[in-house]
Amino acid sequence: MKIFLALSMLLGASTSFAELAVDIQNKSYLCEKKTDSLFHCQSGANSILVTKIAMGYAAFQKNSDGFPEMKWISKVVDNGKVLFEIPKMNFAGMEGIYKTPESKAGKLISANSIVSNLKDIDDDLARQFIAESKSFIDREAAPKPKIRILADDKKFDCVRGEDRKLTEEEKKYEAEYNTKLQCNFYACKGSNGEKILSFVPVSSDFASPYFLNLKGTQTELRFNGLKVVEPDNQKEAPIYDIPAWNGAGYTASPLDENLFVPSQFENNKSAFSFFTNPMTESMREGALSRCAGNNDVTKLIAEEKKIAETFQQGLVNAELSHYLTLVNGQVISVFVDAKKAQGLGCRYDGMILSKDAEKHIEFLQKAKPKPIAKYLTEEEVQDLFQQAKNMADIPFGYKYDGCYARAHVMARRFEAMGIPVEKVWIKGSLFVPGTDVQWNYHVAPVINVKTKNGDIKKYVIDPSLTAKAVTVDGWVESMGKKVKGGVVETPYPFPVNVANFQRTAVAFSSSDVYVPDNDEKRSEAENMALAIQTMKEYTEALNEKNQNENEYENENQHVRPDVI
């Protein structure tokens, strides 16, 4: 009983003293509140700084080597009130997958994170961590002229390429984002005379190294099973240490990724995916462009580019099939290799349907354009365009998003006028003229028009993109980034991976389809409610944007010409 009372008194005292507590990696620490978003905690003799960052809360402290590091916080409790908590997630089977051995690259990433997150905080402990982190960055961030790569019990000695001279704009970018734009490629030599081009970035690039054994269409690519060391300092922590990994712990993709690899590249899937991925192509090209001179690195880069062109041309020439299947209850449309598509399902409307997708045939039929019984003249379709452009509640100037809502509202209003409407969808790498906006898909209403000579043409009503009603070809051209595989017309729904095959897809649907997914579970009333709400939100955003721009222009008009 006495023990119980003593414990109760101790716990009560602790609770009254500890108004603030944080949980860091399953351990709880008592903290002193400096401000509403800045706390000092103690772990033995080790001081911990806790602060609010963009993604929640983070703790900054020194590790066993005396080096500052950042750790995520799972929970913050202030006077019994939970200020922040990360939901518990089940990572069964995933333990150890993300744990990599100690490396200088990891320390540099941590050091840069500390500097960027603490730079605006007025606190002595924050300044101490920043100073120590900057010291490490200054000492270690410069690229090494020579490195050694260890892979499969082999060693490759590598020499870095020369840096290209930067433009003034690039120099400003370096200063603004605290990074270095430099040649991060190395020419490596092994005992068997292999041609190795390696990418080994500094940590500020937040990119992973890779290793290319250049052998034409049999080029080998590696992202793991690599250790990068300094030849003369192999006793120190490696620059990178990335263990070999066979994918254990990850759930297999519901779609067999092998279906996307043309048969001719069957034995070299990783390199094929690397050289043909549109998401990484521009980043790869940018990194390659930073190297200069006539040396081993630039010669290997030239060879790598020829190999990339071979893969990409093979992709363009690949024979494809349009495959529909079900993933998580949703109809998914993809391009797959035609040979591998055999036996995947039955054929319907130019597509192959899996057994699961066959159950959604009613939705697919509803999505097909309806027979047209009425046509507009060329003059009438231009008049309709002007009527649409004058619809004040549709924010055509908001380019970033909302095409699906704009198209649906316009379509229903046109139909209320007695005009039959379809929708045209485009999918690919799309660029909005006159802006820096990019779309991965776009949609607009389509009107069937009978020309004066009796031809039937489809005209697109899209004030967000064009100054008048234009043909589908003109509409496609207005977004035009030329792709090697050209524009292909497909049934709806369009293949979501069309850009990966260097193509742009155009598909036509009925006006009933709202967004490019399996939206058959929503009613027309629900779709229209979503569309109207989206229009309201984006109208407000556009008005705010225009107001800010006007205020900026007005301020600049008051600047005296003689001091500009």
Side-chain angles (χ1 to χ4, degrees):
M1 185 66 178
K2 291 181 179 179
I3 295 175
F4 174 77
L5 288 173
L7 284 173
S8 298
M9 292 174 64
L10 179 60
L11 289 171
S14 298
T15 303
S16 61
F17 171 78
E19 294 183 351
L20 186 76
V22 300
D23 290 353
I24 307 171
Q25 295 182 345
N26 298 321
K27 291 184 179 180
S28 188
Y29 298 87
L30 307 183
C31 305
E32 177 188 358
K33 182 191 289 189
K34 296 293 185 180
T35 69
D36 287 341
S37 59
L38 180 68
F39 323 132
H40 281 191
C41 315
Q42 205 69 28
S43 175
N46 198 3
S47 297
I48 304 173
L49 176 70
V50 174
T51 187
K52 194 172 185 179
I53 62 174
M55 298 175 66
Y57 283 83
F60 301 86
Q61 65 183 99
K62 292 186 179 181
N63 60 19
S64 57
D65 296 330
F67 182 80
E69 63 180 1
M70 184 178 88
K71 292 183 178 180
W72 291 105
I73 286 179
S74 55
K75 191 173 184 179
V76 178
V77 180
D78 185 8
N79 255 342
K81 180 182 178 182
V82 177
L83 299 181
F84 173 78
E85 185 172 14
I86 296 177
K88 292 184 178 179
M89 301 178 70
N90 182 13
F91 290 105
M94 301 290 286
E95 291 83 358
I97 288 177
Y98 296 110
K99 293 179 181 178
T100 56
E102 181 182 335
S103 66
K104 289 183 179 178
K107 284 187 173 182
L108 281 167
I109 289 174
S110 180
N112 278 299
S113 296
I114 289 169
V115 173
S116 62
N117 281 292
L118 301 184
K119 62 182 180 181
D120 297 323
I121 295 178
D122 184 13
D123 181 85
D124 288 341
L125 189 55
R127 283 187 281 271
Q128 177 189 336
F129 288 160
I130 289 174
E132 292 172 351
S133 298
K134 282 186 173 180
S135 176
F136 182 80
I137 292 169
D138 292 342
R139 189 169 67 250
E140 298 293 344
K144 312 301 178 186
K146 294 182 179 181
I147 59 172
R148 178 169 292 162
I149 296 180
L150 309 176
D152 293 337
D153 298 324
K154 297 179 182 178
K155 66 179 182 180
F156 301 87
D157 287 315
C158 313
V159 178
R160 191 174 80 92
E162 298 175 26
D163 295 327
R164 170 178 58 80
K165 185 178 179 180
L166 299 180
T167 64
E168 290 303 315
E169 186 177 349
E170 288 172 327
K171 291 177 182 177
K172 290 178 181 177
Y173 179 89
E174 282 188 325
E176 183 177 353
Y177 292 97
N178 188 34
T179 188
K180 295 293 291 182
L181 301 178
Q182 57 206 4
C183 180
N184 290 318
F185 285 89
Y186 291 77
C188 307
K189 294 181 179 179
S191 56
N192 296 329
E194 300 99 327
K195 294 181 179 180
I196 305 295
L197 178 66
S198 285
F199 175 69
V200 182
V202 294
S203 67
S204 56
D205 283 338
F206 288 96
S208 298
Y210 60 80
F211 180 89
L212 282 167
N213 190 349
L214 302 177
K215 297 189 293 185
T217 56
Q218 299 304 310
T219 291
E220 297 174 1
L221 168 71
R222 297 185 65 156
F223 284 102
N224 56 61
L226 302 172
K227 183 179 286 190
V228 182
V229 301
E230 296 177 63
D232 300 326
N233 298 298
Q234 294 189 50
K235 291 184 179 180
E236 293 186 11
I239 301 172
Y240 282 94
D241 191 353
I242 308 173
W245 178 56
N246 60 8
Y250 267 117
T251 304
S253 170
L255 280 173
D256 182 2
E257 296 183 4
N258 182 53
L259 293 172
F260 309 138
V261 180
S263 300
Q264 68 189 97
F265 302 119
E266 180 66 30
N267 296 324
N268 201 10
K269 299 172 189 174
S270 60
F272 167 80
S273 299
F274 176 74
F275 284 120
T276 59
N277 188 334
M279 301 296 291
T280 58
E281 182 179 1
S282 60
M283 290 186 287
R284 186 175 62 85
E285 288 295 326
L288 291 168
S289 71
R290 296 174 195 165
C291 301
N294 182 18
N295 49 59
D296 287 343
V297 167
T298 53
K299 289 174 183 176
L300 289 175
I301 286 175
E303 188 168 342
E304 187 253 34
K305 288 183 176 181
K306 289 181 180 178
I307 294 170
E309 289 173 4
T310 300
F311 276 104
Q312 290 167 3
Q313 191 57 47
L315 185 71
V316 170
N317 297 335
E319 186 179 352
L320 305 173
S321 288
H322 191 170
Y323 177 52
L324 265 64
T325 188
L326 219 62
V327 175
N328 298 327
Q330 177 177 311
V331 174
I332 295 295
S333 168
V334 290
F335 270 148
V336 298
D337 179 71
K339 290 182 180 178
K340 297 175 183 178
Q342 296 176 12
L344 288 178
C346 65
R347 291 197 171 270
Y348 168 79
D349 195 26
M351 300 177 284
I352 299 174
L353 271 60
S354 69
K355 284 290 184 184
D356 287 336
E358 287 180 38
K359 300 172 185 177
H360 294 256
I361 195 76
E362 185 177 339
F363 165 72
L364 297 174
Q365 290 174 340
K366 180 183 177 183
K368 293 180 67 173
K370 296 177 174 64
I372 300 298
K374 179 181 178 180
Y375 301 93
L376 296 192
T377 65
E378 292 172 283
E379 292 78 11
E380 287 172 336
V381 77
Q382 296 301 340
D383 180 64
L384 185 65
F385 179 92
Q386 289 302 319
Q387 292 182 55
K389 188 176 180 179
N390 293 332
M391 293 177 182
D393 59 340
I394 300 182
F396 293 110
Y398 191 82
K399 311 285 188 180
Y400 303 100
D401 192 18
C403 61
Y404 44 90
R406 293 193 297 265
H408 207 69
V409 172
M410 282 191 286
R412 291 299 181 249
R413 290 178 180 176
F414 297 159
E415 288 168 341
M417 301 175 192
I419 301 170
V421 181
E422 299 173 4
K423 287 181 181 177
V424 60
W425 306 78
I426 183 170
K427 171 70 174 176
S429 298
L430 312 174
F431 292 77
V432 185
T435 74
D436 58 356
V437 179
Q438 296 183 30
W439 293 329
N440 66 64
Y441 86 89
H442 190 50
V443 60
V446 165
I447 307 298
N448 285 273
V449 172
K450 183 176 284 189
T451 65
K452 293 176 182 177
N453 61 7
D455 293 335
I456 304 299
K457 290 188 177 181
K458 294 181 184 294
Y459 274 74
V460 184
I461 309 292
D462 191 359
S464 72
L465 197 63
T466 61
K468 64 179 182 178
V470 296
T471 63
V472 171
D473 287 344
W475 184 71
V476 171
E477 185 70 23
S478 69
M479 289 171 272
K481 175 188 177 185
K482 302 296 183 183
V483 288
K484 295 180 180 179
V487 178
V488 294
E489 185 175 330
T490 72
Y492 186 88
F494 53 71
V496 295
N497 63 339
V498 62
N500 291 64
F501 286 98
Q502 291 288 322
R503 292 161 172 82
T504 298
V506 173
F508 297 91
S509 77
S510 71
S511 64
D512 296 327
V513 180
Y514 180 57
V515 288
D517 62 15
N518 186 6
D519 61 357
E520 58 187 307
K521 294 180 181 179
R522 284 192 302 273
S523 67
E524 167 58 25
E526 290 172 322
N527 283 337
M528 183 55 76
L530 286 171
I532 296 297
Q533 180 61 31
T534 300
M535 293 298 88
K536 288 180 179 178
E537 292 175 1
Y538 290 162
T539 296
E540 291 174 2
L542 182 61
N543 290 339
E544 184 178 349
K545 176 177 178 290
N546 291 338
Q547 182 180 348
N548 291 338
E549 289 177 352
N550 290 335
E551 288 176 356
Y552 176 78
E553 290 178 3
N554 291 335
E555 287 174 4
N556 287 335
Q557 287 175 358
H558 296 293
V559 178
R560 286 173 48 200
D562 59 334
V563 296
I564 293 179

